[in-house]
Amino acid sequence: MSTIITARDRHKSFTFIASSFSALRLATICLLAGALIACGGGSSSPNVVTTSGGGTGTGGTPPPSSGNYYVATNGNDSWSGTLSSPNSAGTDGPFATIAKAQQVVESSKSTISGNVTIQIRGGTYFLSAPLSFSSADSGTSSQQITWEGYPGDTTPVISAGQQVTGWKNVSGSTWSVQLPSSFSDFEALYYNGQRRFRPRTSSGYLRLNPVILSSPQTNCTESYAGGYRCSDRFSFSPGDLASSYHDINDVEIISFELWTVSRMRLQSVDTTNNIAYLTGSVSNGQYFGFIEDHRYQVDNVQESLNEPGEWYLDKGTSPWTLTYIAQSGETPSSDTIIVPQQSQILVANGLQYVTFSGLEFSHDDYVIPATGHPGNSGEVSTPAAISINNSSNVTFTGVTASHTQGWGLEFIGTAAAGAGNTVTNSIFYDLGTGGIRLGQVPASSDSDSTVAQNNTVSQSLIFSGGRFLPGGEGTGVWIGSSHSNTVSHVDIHDFYNGPIELGQTPNGGETFTHDNVIDSNELYDLGQGVTDDMGCVHAASSNNSGNQITNNVCHDVTHDPSPGGYGGNGIYLDANTQNVTVKNNLVYRVSDTALFLNGSTSGNVVENNIFAYSGEGMIRRGIIDPAGSFEVEHNIFYYDHGALQRLPSIWVCPSICTSQFTMDYNVYWNATGSSVSFVTTVSGNPDSIAEQFDLASWQALTGEDVHSTVANPEFTAPGSPSDDYSLMSGSPATSSEGFTPLSTAQAGPTGNLVTPATPVPDAFPLQPLALTDF
């Protein structure tokens, strides 16, 4: 019998189901908080099998007449695989490994008439190598191949990790185990299906400063503040770092730059001059590297191991010793503890006409290199747990990707021009980096026919991301050099940066990020005060056309509120973005700007949107735009904080405003009752206000907003807790400005998807704002 709990977020209700159903009925929804227990057959000794990622099995297996094969944790690779359970004599039954099933399907599918289905029984399948699929594993348009969970069983978990057993109590709540030499390095640990963290020296943020030399030397060559900034060291406040850390090269510095976050390894610490030296270098630049008074944390410090739920892997011992401090009620010797071991879970190349359904993929292993991990936009250098390369007509339906260190899933390239892949009714959560990546960073070898294209991501949940690498724009769904994709009815929340990226190369040079549709998604609880410079949808899609951002709901976006923090935006069209349609979106409660047009070049249309409650301003221009850069028409701007035109910003008027952009048929309202003011700024000095106008003067002087109105749009119940931005009858927005009411209830998944009963813990200190700050 199901246990149903209804929880309400700020916008709508979701159903939480904490029980087991048949795998087929759960093909679109199965996910449990304790997946590795509930789907593994028990809490003390889970039903597991270790399987290789490829290769051949044993014995010859005749094909089944029905086209069905089975895999089970109590199977045997010398059996036929045509029985769903072992027979009473123990002489035949399902296979034990997915690799064996792959081998048999490859050799037998040509003799089978019709589709081929491989059903995987409940349990946890620990991999000794990533699963490897190739064109030999493909189906055809007339013979589909499906890998799915078995009806009536709990969800099978395909794990790139390994269970840790043999724990001994050291004293009190402290437990330890010596790991076999077969274990490789790891930086994550999951206790009964929940991520646990390593010890840090501080529960909050520390502050660093760059080291600037008077003359250049190795790793100190960037011109900066009259000197040369170093990329392999930084200065710290006295007492914040020690030189005596155990295994100091394994201690990591988490450096919060702007929208990127680097994880670097300590080389040494000079406590006399208060300078920390790293084993490698961060990326320098205006927005990267060590910046004055920016935040950092010190991670994986044995001397700080003192809080319940923390763990530490001591690689200075032989064998390695893993220590865990148990929380109240935990007993490591009988609970399920899993650590990642394989770099990826499933890799496919040249695969076609294959469906994965009702399966869970977990525990990929990404370890910070010896020289560290410099942060990068979108974290595009971090691997994906599931990597689908040059493949088409591959479908993931009702799957779960969880407990990752890198990305959940990526599609790179295509096997057939115009053919794409599909993700639907699926859940991606507890992600070390991001959810789904479409395409790559633009390369000279790209062509319109070879980049990832025509992929669909729909009716899915992507949440609790950035738990290991929190930086980068668009880490819910990232679209790089890739076209004709659709991302629709997806719920993305609880990320430390922006959820959707459209394009990767600002300021020109990108030509294949076109005709993508971002539609009817709900995007919320973003940034959370951890990083800067984000938007619910961030576009950097220069030299393209046909991209659409429509019918989305974006709310509760918060950048780092510390001095120097900035950029919790709603819709964000960045440098040289062009020909994007932004229509029918609802944006509210963002910490910076609801609509940021940062040097968009031409053809951008912002029409029929509601922008409400932004902390700094409603609309912002970043640089002087060329002629015809954007049209902002038939929108509602509603605020009680900040200003209509966010400053600093470029509003050089009246001489060139009308040649740069068009604003008209908009409704403006200051909910405090104060007047709505329009401003112009001095050319070259966006902080200096040249003139300030009421609407009539603005219209007369600039030729903008000729048909616009300053009037209360008469929302039903704006603001928290109702957040109801429907319009009452007779609203001036509809009666005089031609605004079409929004259908926001359709944003996000339209069906029920199961979420874990146990929440994913926060990975970094959050810095929330009060409602009055928006």
Side-chain angles (χ1 to χ4, degrees), residues 714-735:
E714 299 181 4
F715 293 126
T716 300
S720 180
S722 299
D723 294 328
D724 185 349
Y725 293 89
S726 61
L727 296 172
M728 293 188 287
S729 177
S731 165
T734 56
S735 61

Side-chain angles (χ1 to χ4, degrees), residues 554-565:
C554 159
H555 61 98
D556 293 283
V557 183
T558 307
H559 64 265
D560 168 27
S562 306

Side-chain angles (χ1 to χ4, degrees), residues 166-186:
W167 291 90
K168 298 184 183 301
N169 182 252
V170 176
S171 64
S173 58
T174 301
W175 296 71
S176 70
V177 60
Q178 292 186 328
L179 298 180
S181 59
S182 59
F183 273 71
S184 58
D185 199 4
F186 54 88

Side-chain angles (χ1 to χ4, degrees), residues 274-470:
N274 296 316
I275 296 177
Y277 293 86
L278 307 176
T279 60
S281 296
V282 298
S283 300
N284 271 345
Q286 181 179 0
Y287 306 106
F288 309 98
F290 300 122
I291 303 170
E292 289 88 347
D293 201 35
H294 265 237
R295 296 160 298 143
Y296 75 101
Q297 290 188 301
V298 188
D299 189 45
N300 198 37
V301 178
Q302 185 190 54
E303 289 82 357
S304 297
L305 181 64
N306 51 36
E307 293 293 329
E310 291 181 343
W311 61 275
Y312 180 80
L313 176 63
D314 188 353
K315 292 178 288 186
T317 63
S318 183
W320 293 350
T321 300
L322 177 60
T323 301
Y324 179 77
I325 300 180
Q327 297 180 352
S328 177
E330 293 181 342
T331 307
S333 59
S334 59
D335 291 339
T336 300
I337 299 174
I338 292 176
V339 299
Q341 288 293 281
Q342 303 301 321
S343 60
Q344 293 179 288
I345 303 170
L346 187 155
V347 177
N349 202 331
L351 192 65
Q352 297 193 71
Y353 297 104
V354 172
T355 294
F356 299 94
S357 176
L359 306 173
E360 182 165 1
F361 301 89
S362 299
H363 313 128
D364 69 309
D365 190 21
Y366 177 64
V367 175
I368 297 301
T371 54
H373 178 101
N376 55 87
S377 295
E379 282 300 340
V380 294
S381 64
T382 311
I386 305 168
S387 183
I388 310 299
N389 306 283
N390 301 314
S391 300
S392 303
N393 298 296
V394 175
T395 298
F396 289 85
T397 179
V399 303
T400 296
S402 65
H403 310 318
T404 73
Q405 284 293 87
W407 284 79
L409 168 68
E410 68 178 356
F411 292 117
I412 301 173
T414 181
N421 306 288
T422 300
V423 178
T424 187
N425 294 305
S426 294
I427 296 176
F428 295 75
Y429 83 106
D430 190 14
L431 306 162
T433 304
I436 299 174
R437 185 162 57 200
L438 305 177
Q440 295 176 295
V441 173
S444 59
S445 59
D446 285 350
S447 71
D448 211 59
S449 61
T450 60
V451 299
Q453 57 194 267
N454 288 290
N455 299 295
T456 298
V457 180
S458 68
Q459 301 291 346
S460 295
L461 293 176
I462 305 174
F463 64 98
S464 298
R467 263 41 188 181
F468 187 59
L469 292 167

Side-chain angles (χ1 to χ4, degrees), residues 500-755:
I500 297 180
E501 173 74 10
L502 182 60
Q504 174 64 16
T505 306
N507 303 316
E510 183 171 291
T511 58
F512 304 117
T513 307
H514 61 81
D515 294 292
N516 296 287
V517 176
I518 312 297
D519 181 75
S520 299
N521 305 289
E522 184 165 19
L523 316 166
Y524 59 102
D525 288 346
L526 305 164
Q528 302 182 81
V530 176
T531 63
D532 292 303
D533 204 356
M534 70 204 72
C536 279
V537 182
H538 175 263
S541 54
S542 58
N543 301 334
N544 288 285
S545 63
N547 291 310
Q548 300 180 50
I549 303 169
T550 55
N551 302 300
N552 302 285
V553 175
C554 159
H555 61 98
D556 293 283
V557 183
T558 307
H559 64 265
D560 168 27
S562 306
Y566 74 101
N569 302 305
I571 304 298
Y572 188 173
L573 304 187
D574 210 349
N576 283 334
T577 290
Q578 60 181 303
N579 300 316
V580 174
T581 297
V582 179
K583 187 174 183 179
N584 298 338
N585 301 282
L586 169 61
V587 176
Y588 63 93
R589 264 199 317 269
V590 300
S591 60
D592 199 321
T593 308
L595 174 63
F596 190 6
L597 303 163
N598 189 32
S600 47
T601 53
S602 63
N604 297 297
V605 176
V606 181
E607 180 181 6
N608 212 82
N609 304 277
I610 295 174
F611 300 103
Y613 295 122
S614 56
E616 300 292 337
M618 299 306 300
I619 182 171
R620 183 182 184 188
R621 297 177 62 212
I623 60 177
I624 295 179
D625 305 302
S629 59
F630 60 82
E631 298 176 8
V632 176
E633 298 186 330
H634 302 287
N635 302 281
I636 300 174
F637 293 89
Y638 184 94
Y639 64 103
D640 65 357
H641 200 82
L644 173 61
Q645 292 156 291
R646 190 334 190 158
L647 296 175
S649 190
I650 306 292
W651 296 99
V652 181
C653 292
S655 59
I656 59 173
C657 273
T658 53
S659 67
Q660 291 177 322
F661 56 85
T662 300
M663 298 178 68
D664 208 357
Y665 296 98
N666 300 302
V667 175
Y668 302 105
W669 187 246
N670 188 331
T672 66
S674 299
S675 61
V676 174
S677 295
F678 298 81
V679 301
T680 64
T681 59
V682 175
S683 179
N685 185 358
D687 291 305
S688 179
I689 296 177
E691 295 184 75
Q692 192 162 327
F693 309 98
D694 60 17
L695 177 60
S697 299
W698 169 263
Q699 292 168 329
L701 203 63
T702 68
E704 297 294 338
D705 287 302
V706 173
H707 302 94
S708 297
T709 303
V710 172
N712 189 339
E714 299 181 4
F715 293 126
T716 300
S720 180
S722 299
D723 294 328
D724 185 349
Y725 293 89
S726 61
L727 296 172
M728 293 188 287
S729 177
S731 165
T734 56
S735 61
S736 64
E737 302 303 335
F739 184 86
T740 302
L742 306 183
S743 299
T744 58
Q746 295 301 308
T750 56
N752 286 331
L753 290 168
V754 171
T755 61

